[in-house]
Amino acid sequence: MNSRRDALEGHVQLESNFDRDTPGPIVSQLAEQDKVPWYCKPNLRLLYLLMLPTCIGVEMTSGFDASMVNGLQAVPSWLEYYHHPRSASLGLMSAMYSLGAVAAIPFVSSVVDTIGRRYPILFGGIIQIIGAILQGSAANFTMFIFARFVLGFANVFCVVAASSLTGELSHPKERAIMSSLFCISWDLGAVFAAGVTFTTFVMTSNWGWRIPSLLQVVPSLLQVTFILFVPESPRWLVSKGRKAEAYAILVKYHGEGDENSDFVKAEYRQIEQTLEAELRVAQMNQKDAFSTPEMRKRVTIATFLALFGQWSGVGLISYYLSPILDSIGIHDNRTKHVINLCKVSWSLVNSTIFSFTVPRYPRRSIFLLSSVSLFIVFSAWTIASAVYSFTQSKLSAQVVVALIFLYSPAFNLGFNALPYTFLTELFPFHVRVRGIATYQWWLQCAGFFNHFVNPIGMDAAGWRWYIIYCFWNAFQVVFVYLMFPETSGRTLEELTFLYENEQDTCRDAEVERVREQGESVTYGSMEVRPREIIKRSD
């Protein structure tokens, strides 16, 4: 413990080597100069391996859920047991997962900011295990949808905490890629569920749908088993005054045990100074954390990022592939399961490729390219569906299937690979959890609306329902072009004042503190006293 304290005290010696006011660029420069890959660093390698099932893997539950619901609609035993749910009843069953998440979100940010990042993942995983057991043992439709509500309620705690922890714990060199990998687990869970339902759909007993439902416990079991082996977020520890613990974690995993590492000293100083500035701002206006124009802009971008993630058409493919295939003349259940398994496997492949490559490119350009691609693919899909409805052409049906497969890379390029990387960069630490929770709230609200309304709309309007998505995707292109900022190439601390002027923000916060506490402080040529500002002469 003494060595840790000595190391913590030693980081102040960096002042002789680096400019105290510019630790951010130094961290970026030192990270760029480090040519040793992560897999050659034993401690960092162990950290990333532990983060795979516990942080990066939390979206496996959501991916499993979507693919399982998709698959169950082509499982005869499930259809018979629940009396062939359609339209509103099918929409309600799908939407309950999102409704559970919406109900949990008001509590998420306070829980994650109060008890840290790890324990919400642990408790959320335990509740998800309970929900999956309830779902697999459901005796009636009410019990089944209640279990899905429980699963959604617990999952959002895991997602918000894990996405924050991934960005805050990763080394700056790999942070963007690690955050990008976060959404790969969705596809991994989807492939797992598609494979299971493809195997069990031929069973005539109720185990044909109970087995997939019960196997939804697997991702949560992995989280619960390994999460306590993962260290806590150093940024959260610093914010709680546990600076020695935070510095020790940085030394072990980012410095490979070297307590004299200049990189660790610079990184720690950057975290410490930035959090001090952030927390002064937060204390000045904590009740109105999102009241400034800059924060409102961040929230607006996060809100529409969530809406784009649900309303670009992905909800149709993820939850209602079976009705879509019915609409183009594909009714055989085995064929539906084969297409679903191939679709999610292809999605896993391209999302994995994008997760390792896309973070190297400018965020805004990638989002814009993804949005344009979605508009083109979905418009072509709508036209091909319309042609089939009038001509019953097999060629047009084949075109629809091909476009479903093309939709996957168009969506994954931006809206699967980048959201949590982008959100972690967009929001400063003191509002990061609240920002991601806001994103999740809108994502789940849009998902609930999407899942409930889609089957009703498809039943009532057929291919014409897709036209709404074409107009939305066109709007999406315009919004991304006009509103999305560029955040790549900088550390989290360098992005803290993305829209604000850092010096002015810190000064305003200090002025407010002075006025409230009756202290005085000097800012350049200005002496600030309680309730007055007196300019000093040169």
Side-chain angles (χ1 to χ4, degrees):
M1 188 66 183
N2 290 333
S3 63
R4 289 185 180 181
R5 288 177 179 172
D6 293 341
L8 179 59
E9 293 172 359
H11 88 276
V12 299
Q13 297 173 2
L14 194 64
E15 194 168 332
S16 61
N17 301 325
F18 303 122
D19 181 358
R20 180 178 176 87
D21 294 329
T22 58
I26 292 171
V27 174
S28 298
Q29 292 166 14
L30 290 175
E32 290 175 3
Q33 293 169 11
D34 181 5
K35 303 302 181 184
V36 181
W38 65 269
Y39 49 82
C40 293
K41 300 177 179 179
N43 291 348
L44 190 60
R45 183 174 65 233
L46 174 62
L47 174 65
Y48 289 165
L49 288 175
L50 288 171
M51 288 172 67
L52 283 175
T54 54
C55 299
I56 295 173
V58 299
E59 282 281 37
M60 280 193 291
T61 300
S62 296
F64 188 101
D65 182 82
S67 187
M68 182 195 71
V69 170
N70 228 342
L72 289 180
Q73 295 171 60
V75 174
S77 61
W78 183 83
L79 291 170
E80 292 172 10
Y81 192 85
Y82 291 116
H83 309 294
H84 295 266
R86 288 181 61 82
S87 195
S89 60
L90 180 60
L92 179 63
M93 184 273 294
S94 301
M96 286 302 289
Y97 188 87
S98 295
L99 185 61
V102 170
I105 286 172
F107 311 104
V108 169
S109 59
S110 59
V111 170
V112 175
D113 277 334
T114 300
I115 67 174
R117 308 324 194 202
R118 296 188 306 165
Y119 287 108
I121 298 174
L122 175 65
F123 299 143
I126 292 172
I127 296 172
Q128 284 182 127
I129 291 172
I130 296 170
I133 293 172
L134 287 172
Q135 181 176 255
S137 59
N140 51 53
F141 191 70
T142 301
M143 185 174 176
F144 189 84
I145 63 173
F146 174 75
R148 292 181 51 69
F149 179 91
V150 172
L151 283 164
F153 185 92
N155 181 255
V156 74
F157 285 93
C158 299
V159 170
V160 172
S163 58
S164 299
L165 185 58
T166 299
E168 294 168 2
L169 199 54
S170 299
H171 192 285
K173 277 177 60 179
E174 294 89 27
R175 176 184 51 77
I177 291 177
M178 292 295 288
S179 296
S180 214
L181 287 170
F182 187 79
C183 286
I184 283 185
S185 63
W186 194 100
D187 292 300
L188 190 61
V191 170
F192 180 30
V196 172
T197 54
F198 178 70
T199 303
T200 63
F201 89 97
V202 294
M203 295 181 179
T204 56
S205 70
N206 289 328
W207 287 110
W209 65 268
R210 292 193 188 277
I211 288 174
S213 299
L214 288 169
L215 285 177
Q216 200 163 348
V217 304
V218 173
S220 301
L221 283 173
L222 292 173
Q223 295 163 31
V224 170
T225 302
F226 293 104
I227 186 59
L228 293 183
F229 293 100
V230 177
E232 186 53 85
S233 162
R235 290 165 175 81
W236 182 81
L237 290 171
V238 170
S239 73
K240 298 299 181 182
R242 296 160 62 178
K243 298 183 178 182
E245 295 175 57
Y247 190 74
I249 290 170
L250 293 175
V251 166
K252 180 175 181 179
Y253 295 106
H254 292 188
E256 289 299 310
D258 181 6
E259 296 178 345
N260 296 313
S261 166
D262 283 347
F263 173 79
V264 172
K265 292 176 182 178
E267 184 182 25
Y268 177 84
R269 170 164 293 157
Q270 185 186 56
I271 292 171
E272 187 178 44
Q273 291 181 349
T274 305
L275 288 183
E276 286 175 358
E278 284 188 56
L279 291 174
R280 282 199 298 269
V281 175
Q283 289 168 0
M284 175 186 73
N285 204 13
Q286 186 63 41
K287 292 182 180 179
D288 248 348
F290 291 153
S291 66
T292 66
E294 295 82 7
M295 282 299 180
R296 286 197 298 271
K297 188 171 185 178
R298 287 182 172 94
V299 171
T300 300
I301 292 169
T303 297
F304 278 93
L305 179 62
L307 298 180
F308 297 152
Q310 287 285 2
W311 287 352
S312 59
V314 69
L316 284 168
I317 301 174
S318 299
Y319 280 86
Y320 301 111
L321 182 62
S322 182
I324 291 172
L325 295 177
D326 282 330
S327 72
I328 55 173
I330 300 175
H331 304 293
D332 179 65
N333 284 335
R334 180 179 176 82
T335 303
K336 291 179 180 179
H337 280 288
V338 170
I339 292 174
N340 186 40
L341 182 57
C342 291
K343 175 186 72 70
V344 295
S345 298
W346 164 235
S347 182
L348 175 62
V349 170
N350 66 66
S351 66
T352 301
I353 294 171
F354 289 148
S355 292
F356 282 103
T357 55
V358 164
R360 305 176 190 276
Y361 297 94
R363 313 283 189 253
R364 181 175 175 274
S365 299
I366 294 297
F367 276 123
L368 190 59
L369 177 60
S370 179
S371 298
V372 171
S373 301
L374 287 170
F375 173 71
I376 294 171
V377 169
F378 211 91
S379 297
W381 175 1
T382 302
I383 293 170
S385 297
V387 170
Y388 179 85
S389 71
F390 290 116
T391 66
Q392 306 297 302
S393 165
K394 289 186 178 180
L395 177 60
S396 59
Q398 292 168 355
V399 170
V400 171
V401 173
L403 288 166
I404 289 173
F405 278 81
L406 284 176
Y407 182 92
S408 171
F411 180 84
N412 288 341
L413 174 65
F415 294 93
N416 187 58
L418 286 181
Y420 289 102
T421 301
F422 185 63
L423 289 168
T424 302
E425 295 168 344
L426 183 66
F427 286 101
F429 174 82
H430 76 280
V431 292
R432 183 169 297 140
V433 169
R434 294 178 65 180
I436 295 175
T438 300
Y439 165 82
Q440 274 289 318
W441 192 84
W442 283 106
L443 186 75
Q444 299 301 340
C445 284
F448 175 79
F449 179 83
N450 219 11
H451 301 155
F452 184 74
V453 171
N454 271 332
I456 300 173
M458 286 191 290
D459 274 354
W463 66 268
R464 293 174 181 81
W465 179 248
Y466 303 155
I467 296 175
I468 297 173
Y469 288 99
C470 294
F471 280 107
W472 178 262
N473 284 328
F475 165 73
Q476 180 172 319
V477 173
V478 175
F479 187 93
V480 170
Y481 178 79
L482 294 176
M483 294 294 293
F484 274 37
E486 186 51 65
T487 60
S488 61
R490 288 176 280 180
T491 68
L492 296 183
E493 281 64 42
E494 291 165 15
L495 288 163
T496 293
F497 301 100
L498 177 65
Y499 294 116
E500 302 89 345
N501 180 289
E502 180 173 358
Q503 291 182 348
D504 289 346
T505 302
C506 294
R507 183 190 64 191
D508 292 344
E510 192 70 6
V511 167
E512 186 67 21
R513 183 181 64 79
V514 165
R515 289 174 173 174
E516 289 182 356
Q517 298 182 6
E519 302 174 6
S520 62
V521 68
T522 300
Y523 271 103
S525 61
M526 299 178 67
E527 180 183 1
V528 182
R529 294 177 180 173
R531 297 298 170 187
E532 63 181 354
I533 299 179
I534 301 176
K535 290 187 177 180
R536 299 191 307 180
S537 61
D538 295 333

